[in-house]
């Protein structure tokens, strides 16, 4: 199983980026993908899963999924310097309909390598 995260880069405050997470080696429809991030010197934190978002990104980030490409996208808008972090996607078998279950990084079986997002002028 592989998760390939891409799309990170340098963007100015207020700008946008779209991250991609492409999965291989698993049945994509059976898994939920979660998004997490880790800023320098900070612990990893939950960002988003499906239609649920951390308060810090709510209203600015959205998720879309292309099942035909085994890919999920994290569209990030109105970016702030505080959004600077390495962003990770992770896959967990869809065994619960409770979204909060997926806020916990420990339940994820597979992780992508991370992609760096830097928001700076």
């Amino acid at each position: 199983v592989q998760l390939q995260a891409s799309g990170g880069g340098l963007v100015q405050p207020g700008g946008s980026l779209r991250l991609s997470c492409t999965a291989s080696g698993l049945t994509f429809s059976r898994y939920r993908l979660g998004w997490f991030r880790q800023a320098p010197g900070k612990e990893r934190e939950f960002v988003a899963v499906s239609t649920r978002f951390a308060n810090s990104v709510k209203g600015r980030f959205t998720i879309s999924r292309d099942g035909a490409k085994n890919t999920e996208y994290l569209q990030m808008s109105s970016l702030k310097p505080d959004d600077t972090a390495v962003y990770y996607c992770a896959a967990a078998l869809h065994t619960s309909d409770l979204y909060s279950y997926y806020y916990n990084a420990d339940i994820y079986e597979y992780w992508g390598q991370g992609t760096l997002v830097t928001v700076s002028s």
Side-chain angles (χ1 to χ4, degrees), residues 14 41 45 58 82 88-89 105 107:
E45 64 175 357
K58 200 173 292 183
D82 283 350
Y88 299 91
C89 59
I107 64 99

Side-chain angles (χ1 to χ4, degrees), residues 31-79:
Y31 283 79
R32 280 215 187 274
L33 291 191
W35 294 85
F36 294 81
R37 67 186 182 185
Q38 187 165 20
K42 295 187 177 180
E43 294 188 353
R44 182 176 51 192
E45 64 175 357
F46 168 78
V47 174
V49 60
S50 187
T51 59
R52 303 302 170 93
F53 299 86
N55 287 335
S56 59
V57 307
K58 200 173 292 183
R60 300 187 296 120
F61 290 13
T62 59
I63 284 178
S64 60
R65 178 179 269 226
D66 186 338
K69 295 182 178 180
N70 280 9
T71 298
E72 190 165 290
Y73 304 96
L74 179 68
Q75 178 68 49
M76 307 184 297
S77 303
S78 302
L79 283 163

